[in-house]
Amino acid sequence: EFGKLDEAVKKQAAYPKAARAMQDLDAQQKIVLEKIDEILGSGRGNGLASGDLATGFGQSFSFIPGSNPYRLNTALDTIKANVGFDKLQEMRNNSPTGGALGQVSDSENKLLQSVLGSLDAGAGEDILRQNLARLRQEITAGQARRHAAFQKDFGPNGAGGDTGGDVPQAAIDYLKGDP
């Protein structure tokens, strides 16, 4: 039973850091989802991606501050940066040493940003909408998987997940040096 108690103590010690990481990632992904909604609007003919003047040939006007193509590109930049950093962090987390990737070049970063589909407004409205919808679906599915795993590991109140009800709180406090 000591192994079960030791596991519960470790989970409780890891909970604050894991909860902060979940909150930070949820906040980051909320920004991405808001940008996707801003671009897509409520349907075709709506949002920043609407019409030929925003995507495709309209991108030739993207240098004009305040124009729809300019605003579309700034929203896409926010999404691309978050996707790229997320994929880079995922690769680092899966690396045996945690930092074995070293410096990432601009071209490698652009490839990371496109891993879930091209977010180039020059490709046209239909392609952009399709790729943003896929990205939205992947983000929301990932959030659901991550929250389910968090609940399994830590339980509804951070009480220790699967070992939560089996270990008395007094024993956990004692081992943590807080009798």
Side-chain angles (χ1 to χ4, degrees), residues 6 25 37 48 60 68 71 91 94 110 113 115 125 136 150 158 168 172-173:
D6 189 43
L25 188 55
D37 289 344
L48 290 176
S60 58
N68 203 28
R71 292 181 312 135
M91 290 171 66
N94 292 330
K110 286 180 182 179
Q113 293 171 357
V115 74
E125 182 178 354
R136 170 179 259 299
F150 186 85
I172 293 171
D173 291 342

Side-chain angles (χ1 to χ4, degrees), residues 2 5-7 9 167 169-179:
F2 182 73
L5 184 60
D6 189 43
E7 181 183 337
V9 171
V167 180
Q169 183 63 44
I172 293 171
D173 291 342
Y174 176 77
L175 284 177
K176 289 168 64 177
D178 188 19

Side-chain angles (χ1 to χ4, degrees), residues 6-77:
D6 189 43
E7 181 183 337
V9 171
K10 287 178 183 176
K11 280 186 178 184
Q12 280 201 341
Y15 176 78
K17 183 178 178 182
R20 271 192 311 279
M22 283 284 289
Q23 289 171 345
D24 291 347
L25 188 55
D26 282 346
Q28 172 193 350
Q29 290 182 336
K30 180 181 180 210
I31 291 169
V32 172
L33 293 173
E34 287 171 352
K35 289 296 178 184
I36 291 173
D37 289 344
E38 181 182 341
I39 292 169
L40 295 179
S42 59
R44 189 156 178 78
N46 213 332
L48 290 176
S50 297
D52 291 333
L53 294 179
T55 60
F57 177 73
Q59 280 294 293
S60 58
F61 300 104
S62 64
F63 66 92
I64 302 171
S67 68
N68 203 28
Y70 183 90
R71 292 181 312 135
L72 172 61
N73 286 344
T74 58
L76 285 171
D77 286 345

Side-chain angles (χ1 to χ4, degrees), residues 90-106:
E90 183 181 319
M91 290 171 66
R92 286 189 173 133
N93 290 345
N94 292 330
S95 166
T97 61
L101 298 175
Q103 190 73 12
V104 177
S105 71
D106 283 343

Side-chain angles (χ1 to χ4, degrees), residues 7 11 145-156 160-164:
E7 181 183 337
K11 280 186 178 184
R145 287 189 304 268
R146 194 173 61 255
H147 283 270
F150 186 85
Q151 289 294 316
K152 184 177 187 297
D153 285 349
F154 296 106
D162 291 340
T163 63

